[in-house]
Amino acid sequence: MATNVNPTKPPVRSLLHGQVGEIRTTVAFNDANRPMSAAFPAGAQILSTTITVTQAFNGGTNALTVGSAPGGNDLVAAGDSAVGNVGVKRPDTATALGRLAADTVPYVNYAQTGAAATQGSAEIVFTYAAQRA
């Protein structure tokens, strides 16, 4: 039997998968355009987004967005978050759903029009797969 041939299967202890991570933050009614505390690494792919509204935002028109730049909405658009009602939202219509080209800091922004909000709280959780080395 030849000993200088590549095996047809990978070794059993080889890790051939990427790492799965998460980024999370809590958003309050008085949060305006701020970066989240962590960033997606280059090559990451967002697997899911969950927004849990624990206290409904009571502004006139509520708009919670998350973008890859300040003021952006390419990760979570305002129409997908529905923070005027308590509950769990799973937006998946973001435009940045492919692999991210560079390290990406998500920016959270809550804005309202009409009556100013006096209450509201939500937690945003992104789950992502890091690119394999």
Side-chain angles (χ1 to χ4, degrees):
M1 180 167 128
T3 58
N4 62 344
V5 196
N6 288 334
T8 57
K9 294 187 223 174
V12 175
R13 290 185 174 82
S14 177
L15 295 177
L16 296 177
H17 56 82
Q19 298 296 312
V20 175
E22 71 172 32
I23 298 175
R24 66 174 56 218
T25 192
T26 301
V27 181
F29 70 92
N30 54 357
D31 279 338
N33 228 5
R34 67 171 174 81
M36 290 178 70
S37 60
F40 297 109
Q45 184 172 8
I46 298 172
L47 302 174
S48 68
T49 305
T50 304
I51 300 173
T52 306
V53 180
T54 54
Q55 182 181 40
F57 291 71
N58 66 350
T61 301
N62 302 298
L64 175 67
T65 59
V66 183
S68 58
N73 66 353
D74 58 338
L75 300 176
V76 175
D80 296 332
S81 60
V83 295
N85 300 310
V86 172
V88 177
K89 290 46 167 153
R90 291 185 177 84
D92 64 356
T93 56
T95 57
L97 292 178
R99 295 212 174 268
L100 299 172
D103 291 351
T104 303
V105 176
Y107 288 83
V108 176
N109 188 40
Y110 172 70
Q112 70 260 344
T113 58
T118 58
Q119 70 177 26
S121 180
E123 183 175 29
I124 301 172
V125 179
F126 286 103
T127 305
Y128 68 91
Q131 186 171 358
R132 294 183 209 176

